[in-house]
Amino acid sequence: MGERPVVQYAVEDGIAVITIDNPPVNALGAGVSDGIVAGVDRANADPAVKAIVLIGAGRSFIAGADIRRFGTKRETPARRSYDALEGGGKPVVAAIHGYALGGGLENALCCTWRIAVPSAKVGLPEVLIGILPGGGGTQRLPRLIGAKAALEMISTGRHVPAPEAKALGIIDALVDGDLRSAAIAFARDVAGKPLRRIGEMPPPAAEPGMFEMARKAIARKARNQKAPYHCIAAVEAATRLPFTEGIAEEKRLFGELENSDEARALRYAFFAEREVARLPHLPKDAPTPEIRTMAVVGAGTMGGGIAMSCADAGLPVKLLDASAETLERGLRRIRDNYAVSVKRGSLTQAEMDQRLTLIEPVESYADIADCDAVIEAVFEQIAVKEQVFAELDHAMKPGALLFSNTSAIDIDKIAAATKRPQDVAGTHFFAPANVMKLFEVVEGSATAPATMLAAMKLGRAIGKVSAYAGNCDGFVANRSRIPFTMEQNLMVEEGALPEQIDRVMVEFGYPMGPFAVNDLSGLDVSYQTRRRRKAEDPDYRMLPVPDQLVEMGRKGQKTGAGWYRYEPGDRMPHPDPEVARIIQEVAAENGIAQRAFSDEEVLQRLLFGSINEACKMIAEGKCLRASDLDVMWLNGFGFPRYRGGLMFWADGIGAREIYNQIAAWHQRYGARWAPAPLLREAAEKGGLLRELRAPQLQ
Ligand code: 3H9
């Protein structure tokens, strides 16, 4: 038997049905566009065919061009499916379910009609992978729905739900029931009606100043990127050029983006975020227990945020706290957080009310015994955690999964407080838990594969990006950040000012510099941690500058001063000569020579130590893939997505150069810069850092 064709053709009731069948998401891979062209030609040539339906098999219409093929050499087809669909003499009905994205929606826009099931989503998300719609979308969508609405869709790349798409005029009809039969019936109805070709519509009008305003609005977010600006330029072209010239302009702009650094980085990030979901070292046949009901222990800031994440995803959650007062305070905080979203317009009051009904406050372990999984989010102290897990072990039904949101405590010690360590894993959220996407799943030495898989799935189900972490101090994400934070502080002692370091990182693409972030989250937390660490380890390197700031009452924004000073009622950081003076004093007391830093040195000192640490964690098997670390930095630490991630960015410099620099710093600064053997190996072999994998995956 031959392989099933990626495009199938059938005629039913005088209607030709062209079905795209290219799993998993009907991307426009090899043969798909040719298959559509052949189907359309065949239908147009057959007098018995009155109209044509274009539909997707499986879970989606068409998710767009095959992203894997970008940046590779591709043959230019003799005729594009877009031209064939729009140019024929018979009406074509696009029947949409699942997703019609990118080239998928662009093909649909070349059809005469578009119908969809209510759950479908449409969009032109190309900007998110550093390109622009290159199949006529920038010219047809503005003609169909107006320049303003099209500009918004194309420059955000957002997925528009079918009912909204109908209101915008993208979808002609919403249909319930079997889509294929509905599409055939619709096609029979419209057969013989005049054909409306979007490409023949006049250029849409644009409000004066609209494009200039759009450029201004994205200036901060689109720093260092071309694609968002090219998207605006392409829509602008639609408003002032005849269709064919607009298409030529779109093609020209697309050509400038396809192989750009940002497009390569964003494509890499797209696939890294899919790869991170896989745990190939676990047995293939491990079951994945279903989690339908959740409990969270601890109604503090983290616990509340976790409960919100569950409720946001429609998952019922019981929130347990031993103290009625803490519980009430926690609930108030949750209500206040939702109310802010309602005020901002990102949530409706009805949605807020619905979410609140999913969060049930309870005061005893017996009340949560029946839940499928529980996440502990209590005070970060081993004795407290052990007590909670002993209670959970006693109370929870057999098979319930016991997760800890610890960011610092050994999962094995926590699991040892139970008689079911196989059911225990870490599920580490990043603050604020209801906002940050990263969800580290920590495997203890006794954690069962089923527990790991269920935790990974739970993360995805609540809209997070789940990533594997081995059990080690700091787990993977935070451990990889330690050198960054250390160098940030040590450079200051050597003479780089916080405002220089922050500027370098903002110019690099971070939304905020690390010192401004410290001020936002408060300097006192890490101050306490340092004291604790010093008590445990006399060799622990203290940080006298931030220590002194805290001791002077400069704890960050909340006290009106930290690394910067703040005007009342304003969050804008102002460089403070007082801080410069403290730095000089500390340096003088400790005999640290002051010098100037180039911006490049600042950037490299901050990031190279983390690359080195990543190599160590991969060699230890704590981090499975370098690309997992990239996903963590993108979703947990605000690393600029258009740079792919820490290790992808590192490859732009090269393992050899990074190794040489680290080796030089090792000579100069000592043990903390000892190069990782895996980094040395990559440098010697000329390998790519982003392709490094843990021993258990080899
Ligand atoms: C474009 O169209 C350019 C045009 O303007 C024309 C220019 C000339 N290509 O995400 P999932 C794979 S640009 C290749 O886990 P979900 C994905 O890697 C494109 N592969 O599922 C994964 O594979 P695996 C514009 C793709 O249900 C599997 O499908 N379109 C593509 O969570 C399942 O994916 C986009 O940017 C693709 N286009 O989400 C849409 N799409 O199983 C990109 C998916 O091996 N895609 N795969 O890991 C998405 O946003 C999501 O995949 C989607 C489904 C929402 C569709």
Side-chain angles (χ1 to χ4, degrees):
M1 238 175 69
E3 264 184 38
R4 205 169 53 186
V6 289
V7 179
Q8 291 142 25
Y9 182 89
V11 178
E12 203 174 312
D13 274 350
I15 303 299
V17 180
I18 300 172
T19 306
I20 320 297
D21 189 3
N22 188 26
V25 290
N26 294 332
L28 297 165
V32 176
S33 292
D34 289 347
I36 297 175
V37 173
V40 172
D41 285 350
R42 191 166 158 190
N44 279 322
D46 182 350
V49 167
K50 302 288 175 249
I52 304 166
V53 165
L54 182 68
I55 193 166
R59 61 194 231 210
S60 244
F61 179 68
I62 300 170
D66 185 341
I67 300 174
R68 289 178 203 274
R69 304 208 315 162
F70 287 124
T72 63
K73 220 171 137 41
R74 300 187 301 280
E75 282 187 19
T76 318
R79 204 142 59 92
R80 309 215 305 168
S81 57
Y82 310 109
D83 302 325
L85 288 165
E86 193 170 54
K90 295 176 185 176
V92 189
V93 178
I96 300 170
H97 75 299
Y99 293 96
L101 299 176
L105 179 59
E106 291 176 299
N107 271 295
L109 291 172
C110 294
C111 297
T112 333
W113 304 91
R114 284 155 297 281
I115 67 170
V117 296
S119 59
K121 295 209 167 96
V122 307
L124 294 174
E126 284 85 344
V127 70
L128 304 176
I129 50 169
I131 55 173
L132 52 72
T138 64
Q139 305 304 299
R140 286 193 182 88
L141 192 64
R143 282 177 164 76
L144 183 63
I145 66 171
K148 192 168 174 196
L151 182 63
E152 188 274 331
M153 271 181 69
I154 293 171
S155 57
T156 61
R158 83 185 164 95
H159 297 173
V160 178
E164 186 189 344
K166 164 99 178 14
L168 283 169
I170 301 172
I171 302 290
D172 299 298
L174 294 177
V175 295
D176 289 310
D178 180 56
L179 179 62
R180 192 173 189 273
S181 333
I184 292 173
F186 190 95
R188 288 179 64 84
D189 262 6
V190 297
K193 284 196 181 166
L195 301 180
R196 181 180 69 158
R197 295 189 174 95
I198 299 175
E200 290 172 356
M201 292 165 73
E207 290 165 23
M210 185 174 109
F211 297 106
E212 219 23 67
M213 249 161 61
R215 285 186 192 96
K216 279 211 185 102
I218 62 168
R220 232 171 85 99
K221 253 182 98 180
R223 182 191 287 274
N224 303 329
Q225 296 168 76
K226 269 197 300 208
Y229 292 100
H230 275 32
C231 283
I232 297 175
V235 176
E236 192 169 14
T239 64
R240 57 179 174 80
L241 297 178
F243 184 72
T244 45
E245 286 174 38
I247 289 284
E249 179 65 357
E250 177 191 272
K251 190 170 174 207
R252 186 185 73 76
L253 293 167
F254 184 91
E256 285 187 11
L257 296 176
E258 181 178 345
N259 290 313
S260 64
D261 288 346
E262 72 194 74
R264 288 189 317 107
L266 289 165
R267 283 199 288 273
Y268 164 84
F270 177 85
F271 289 113
E273 279 178 355
R274 273 135 195 97
E275 187 70 10
V276 72
R278 290 187 241 275
L279 303 185
H281 65 295
L282 298 185
K284 299 270 167 299
D285 54 354
T288 310
E290 282 292 326
I291 299 176
R292 292 194 187 82
T293 51
M294 285 291 307
V296 174
V297 182
T301 312
M302 262 336 242
I306 296 171
M308 286 174 78
S309 295
C310 295
D312 292 349
L315 196 58
V317 54
K318 293 185 177 176
L319 184 58
L320 168 68
D321 205 293
S323 134
E325 202 189 316
T326 317
L327 198 54
E328 183 41 45
R329 208 178 320 128
L331 283 172
R332 204 174 324 124
R333 198 179 306 113
I334 291 174
R335 276 195 296 270
D336 289 350
N337 282 339
Y338 278 137
V340 169
S341 303
V342 171
K343 210 164 148 202
R344 280 202 200 126
S346 56
L347 197 71
T348 66
Q349 184 64 48
E351 282 166 339
M352 164 170 164
D353 296 343
Q354 160 64 18
R355 288 177 199 195
L356 285 172
T357 63
L358 290 172
I359 303 175
E360 184 190 338
V362 296
E363 284 181 36
S364 87
Y365 283 92
D367 294 327
I368 64 166
D370 238 9
C371 292
D372 297 329
V374 50
I375 298 177
E376 161 278 311
V378 301
F379 194 60
E380 282 281 87
Q381 232 176 38
I382 180 73
V384 184
K385 305 266 186 203
E386 280 170 346
Q387 196 194 338
V388 168
F389 273 79
E391 297 265 17
L392 289 174
D393 190 26
H394 180 70
M396 300 302 291
K397 70 180 178 188
L401 300 172
L402 315 182
F403 300 137
S404 171
N405 176 51
T406 181
S407 59
I409 294 175
D410 185 342
I411 292 297
D412 287 341
K413 284 194 183 146
I414 294 176
T418 74
K419 287 188 277 309
R420 36 174 139 173
Q422 74 281 359
D423 298 337
V424 178
T427 52
H428 179 205
F429 290 77
F430 289 72
N434 56 317
V435 177
M436 298 303 289
K437 288 247 173 209
L438 180 56
F439 181 81
E440 246 182 336
V441 178
V442 189
E443 184 179 44
S445 54
T447 308
T451 307
M452 287 303 292
L453 294 174
M456 294 287 289
K457 194 168 160 205
L458 171 67
R460 290 193 294 276
I462 59 174
K464 307 289 180 198
V465 179
S466 303
Y468 172 92
N471 186 24
C472 56
D473 199 5
F475 310 132
V476 171
N478 283 347
R479 179 174 154 190
S480 70
R481 270 282 297 208
I482 291 170
F484 180 111
T485 310
M486 181 57 83
E487 297 310 318
Q488 162 194 347
N489 283 287
L490 297 188
M491 271 191 287
V492 157
E493 291 177 8
E494 291 171 50
L497 284 171
E499 48 269 34
Q500 181 193 4
I501 296 176
D502 276 2
R503 177 182 50 75
V504 170
M505 296 322 273
V506 169
E507 283 171 1
F508 180 71
Y510 275 89
M512 278 171 98
F515 290 101
V517 171
N518 286 167
D519 273 359
L520 186 65
S521 41
L523 305 188
D524 42 339
V525 181
S526 53
Y527 175 85
Q528 297 301 349
T529 312
R530 283 194 294 278
R531 299 229 115 33
R532 254 203 323 274
R533 293 224 147 193
K534 184 76 182 171
E536 290 159 11
D537 171 11
D539 291 336
Y540 184 74
R541 168 68 154 90
M542 293 300 276
L543 298 174
V545 179
D547 282 354
Q548 185 150 342
L549 293 177
V550 172
E551 281 155 17
M552 292 169 70
R554 300 184 66 120
K555 296 181 189 167
Q557 278 192 25
K558 61 187 171 191
T559 57
W563 288 105
Y564 297 95
R565 65 177 181 81
Y566 298 86
E567 306 284 347
D570 188 7
R571 288 159 167 258
M572 169 75 114
H574 298 279
D576 192 343
E578 175 78 2
V579 173
R581 190 186 57 73
I582 295 166
I583 293 171
Q584 295 222 327
E585 271 175 25
V586 168
E589 271 167 33
N590 292 276
I592 302 168
Q594 299 289 282
R595 67 184 174 91
F597 281 77
S598 74
D599 288 355
E600 190 188 22
E601 186 178 0
V602 166
L603 183 67
Q604 298 193 343
R605 271 279 292 272
L606 286 179
L607 296 178
F608 282 10
S610 294
I611 296 166
N612 198 36
E613 193 64 27
C615 291
K616 292 181 192 163
M617 286 189 289
I618 294 167
E620 290 166 21
K622 301 298 180 194
C623 172
L624 291 182
R625 292 159 287 235
S627 59
D628 287 8
L629 191 97
D630 285 344
V631 170
M632 293 183 181
W633 278 54
L634 295 180
N635 291 286
F637 299 146
F639 192 89
R641 193 175 172 85
Y642 60 86
R643 295 195 190 275
L646 181 68
M647 303 301 267
F648 184 90
W649 172 78
D651 280 332
I653 298 172
R656 186 180 302 254
E657 193 174 329
I658 294 173
Y659 172 79
N660 288 342
Q661 179 61 73
I662 288 180
W665 282 335
H666 186 207
Q667 295 288 316
R668 177 169 180 174
Y669 294 113
R672 72 176 199 273
W673 281 104
L678 196 57
L679 174 63
R680 193 183 58 230
E681 199 183 307
E684 284 166 359
K685 289 192 185 152
L688 287 175
L689 294 170
R690 63 176 174 272
E691 288 177 359
L692 293 176
R693 293 160 80 84
Q696 64 267 45
L697 297 199
Q698 282 160 13

